[in-house]
Structures are given as structure tokens and as C-alpha cells.
Amino acid sequence: MKHLLLAVCCIAFFSCNTKAQKSEAKKENFKISKTEAEWKAELTEQQFYVLREAGTERAFSSPLNKVYEKGTYVCAACATPLFESANKFDSGTGWPSFDREVKGNVSFDVDYNLGYARKEEHCATCGGHLGHIFNDGPKDTTGERHCINGIAMKFVPSKD
């Protein structure tokens, strides 16, 4: 009985410790770091929900879903370039979809919120939640579908 109690205590201690360390490390990795109050003052309620609380916008609700002109999709919170229009495609899912990101400007993590592992994407500059990556994208390019919340981005049209 003592061994069982000791094992449970050790598991609980190391589980809590590991989670806290990961959370702290994640916060320190981003160049732009603001308080919750500062983000709330700068973002709309929906942007805050998606970017800072890892929410998901309703499918087919983003005006960016059907934008196909030449340009760059930037982070709505910090204007970091995230995706190029040349890499956008219509996935039919209701969210803006891309087959690749701007290298170095998107960071990746794993989320288990639905009970299974999904590759999650964040702005590498401010840590804003963008969406998830799936392996059902165009087979003639990367095979990836970066399924991105439109509210997490702004579109900057190309000048030429």
C-alpha cells in the first residue's frame, strides 16, 4: 500500500511539474508578450477567443475563406507574414486553407483537446493560435492542409 501511495504521489508531482515547465517555456519563446488585458484592448472579442484562448471560428464565417487575389496573410495580432496567397486552396471545409506556411513565422505544437493528437499552429512572433495541420491537402504539393481561422489573420494585397 505504501508503494502504491508513493508511486501515485510521484506521478502527480512529475505530471504537474512537467506541465508547468512546458507552459512557462512556451510563453518565453515568443518575441511579443503582452498581458491578457493588453491583448483584450487590442483585439476584437472573437479575435481574442481564437488567438489567445485557442478557440475556433464557425466554418464558412470568415470573409477570408474565398479571397484568392495575390497577397500575404498576416497575423491579426502582430502583422507577422504567415501564408502566401500562392499557397492557398479551396479545401471545401469552410476555413482558409494553405498547403504551406511562411517558413520560420509559424510555430507548431500538439493539442489533445479533442482526445487525440492534432498538430496545432501558432504565430511564431506573438504565440497567437492560428489553427491545425491535417494530411489531406493537395497531393501534388505538400499533402498538408493548414486549416486556419480567418479571424486570426488579415489579408495584405500585393502591390503589383
Side-chain angles (χ1 to χ4, degrees), residues 3 11 42 49 67 69 72 77 93 110-112 127 134-135 139 154 156:
H3 294 288
I11 290 170
E42 291 180 22
Y49 169 68
V67 171
E69 59 188 280
T72 304
T93 62
V110 177
D111 111 42
Y112 295 93
F134 302 97
N135 292 320
K139 299 296 180 216
K154 291 181 182 174
V156 179

Side-chain angles (χ1 to χ4, degrees), residues 46-60:
Q46 186 68 15
Q47 286 173 324
F48 184 83
Y49 169 68
V50 171
L51 287 162
R52 307 317 308 170
E53 297 178 328
T56 301
E57 70 185 349
R58 234 179 36 250
F60 301 100

Side-chain angles (χ1 to χ4, degrees), residues 72-90:
T72 304
Y73 294 82
V74 302
C75 178
C78 71
T80 296
L82 302 170
F83 302 96
E84 295 295 336
S85 60
N87 304 119
K88 188 173 186 198
F89 66 97
D90 187 355

Side-chain angles (χ1 to χ4, degrees), residues 32 39 43 47 50-51 57 62 64 67 69-85 88 96 98 100-102 105-106 122-131 148-159:
I32 296 177
W39 284 121
L43 302 171
Q47 286 173 324
V50 171
L51 287 162
E57 70 185 349
S62 173
L64 294 182
V67 171
E69 59 188 280
K70 190 174 179 184
T72 304
Y73 294 82
V74 302
C75 178
C78 71
T80 296
L82 302 170
F83 302 96
E84 295 295 336
S85 60
K88 188 173 186 198
F98 305 86
R100 70 195 74 181
E101 78 284 358
V102 173
N105 291 355
V106 176
H122 297 270
C123 172
T125 303
C126 71
H129 169 77
L130 303 173
I148 307 300
N149 290 285
I151 195 83
M153 302 181 294
K154 291 181 182 174
F155 179 71
V156 179
S158 178
K159 292 182 182 177

